[in-house]
Amino acid sequence: SQQGEEDPQALSIQEGENATMNCSYKTSINNLQWYRQNSGRGLVHLILIRSNEREKHSGRLRVTLDTSKKSSSLLITASRAADTASYFCATDGGTYKYIFGTGTRLKVLA
Amino acid sequence: NAGVTQTPKFQVLKTGQSMTLQCAQDMNHNSMYWYRQDPGMGLRLIYYSASEGTTDKGEVPNGYNVSRLNKREFSLRLESAAPSQTSVYFCASSERLGNLLTGELFFGEGSRLTVL
């Protein structure tokens, strides 16, 4: 079974709005990462947050981590049509491997 | 900047045929991974190699074998392909320090495999 589960599975918003997606995971972690995948392409790393961090920012991205609830959220502010993609969280589960969630499909309407 | 290179990009096989997916990285990373991606399933880990000379099973290893040929190369072999192995396969690499993964995964562009 997969370590992470993203919520919602799909999200459609207007350009300029904020998009929030959530990730829940099952075991203790050292870090959690968010990735983006454009249709038909490989995944691209967005941001990494370590287990001792609660919030991290990168440009229009804000990630929070709540290890007590085993959950993380990714906020994209002022969304653009170019943000249309699938977004995945990945956790290391305390081992050498990363396990991915099922992803959130984001569609930003111009 | 090549990063992670996968070959082939597309392949069609008949049931029972064998093939090897090749992956090479030029970032001197210790760890390499093979994932498969099916619609609605996200990415599932098939096998990984924490360092040269070691390989371990991931979530869905049945029907696959891997070889960590050297630090750069990590191949995935399907010995007897089945329709259930129709998928998009991604290779990835990352750096590792001791027992901890230290950073991001770098992905190839994927290999699209169809088994008839």
Side-chain angles (χ1 to χ4, degrees):
Chain A
S1 62
Q2 293 182 260
Q3 165 78 314
E5 297 290 335
E6 283 91 340
D7 171 62
Q9 290 187 335
L11 179 61
S12 186
I13 60 173
Q14 295 292 325
E15 204 166 31
E17 294 181 337
N18 295 341
T20 299
M21 20 200 129
N22 304 296
C23 169
S24 60
Y25 57 92
K26 298 174 183 175
T27 64
S28 61
I29 62 172
N30 293 307
N31 66 67
L32 182 145
Q33 303 185 41
W34 285 90
Y35 288 81
R36 165 192 169 128
Q37 183 181 35
N38 288 77
S39 181
R41 304 299 300 273
L43 281 76
V44 175
H45 179 260
L46 293 176
I47 195 166
L48 179 152
I49 186 166
R50 303 202 183 279
S51 59
N52 61 353
E53 297 174 313
R54 291 297 168 258
E55 187 171 312
K56 202 163 184 179
H57 296 254
S58 177
R60 293 185 295 112
L61 305 179
R62 182 173 78 99
V63 170
T64 61
L65 179 64
D66 187 336
T67 53
S68 66
K69 295 181 179 178
K70 292 185 170 59
S71 67
S72 173
S73 67
L74 171 67
L75 169 68
I76 304 174
T77 60
S79 296
R80 306 166 181 167
D83 294 327
T84 294
S86 292
Y87 293 82
F88 296 88
C89 68
T91 53
D92 67 329
T95 62
Y96 298 117
K97 56 193 179 190
Y98 285 111
I99 302 296
F100 282 77
T102 51
T104 293
R105 296 187 308 280
L106 173 66
K107 187 169 186 177
V108 181
L109 304 170
Chain B
N1 292 339
V4 178
T5 303
Q6 293 181 231
T7 56
K9 288 185 168 43
F10 300 92
Q11 184 72 50
V12 178
L13 291 177
K14 294 181 180 178
T15 297
Q17 288 185 318
S18 63
M19 77 158 298
T20 300
L21 299 176
Q22 306 285 356
C23 175
Q25 53 94 6
D26 62 2
M27 295 169 283
N28 203 36
H29 286 163
N30 287 317
S31 301
M32 297 185 73
Y33 310 82
W34 277 105
Y35 291 89
R36 61 177 287 175
Q37 185 176 31
D38 303 301
M41 294 295 292
L43 278 80
R44 291 184 291 171
L45 181 63
I46 305 171
Y47 270 94
Y48 66 103
S49 171
S51 61
E52 185 179 356
T54 68
T55 60
D56 286 283
K57 296 178 181 179
E59 301 170 274
V60 288
N62 291 344
Y64 304 95
N65 285 304
V66 290
S67 295
R68 183 73 183 267
L69 304 170
N70 48 53
K71 193 170 185 180
R72 289 187 65 248
E73 298 171 290
F74 189 39
S75 64
L76 178 72
R77 182 161 179 84
L78 287 69
E79 291 290 352
S80 179
S84 61
Q85 294 178 304
T86 293
S87 189
V88 182
Y89 292 86
F90 287 99
C91 178
S93 70
S94 69
E95 193 45 85
R96 180 173 62 82
L97 182 64
N99 292 331
L100 296 178
L101 294 168
T102 58
E104 63 186 275
L105 282 165
F106 291 82
F107 281 86
E109 287 296 308
S111 298
R112 285 150 183 80
L113 175 65
T114 300
V115 183
L116 302 174

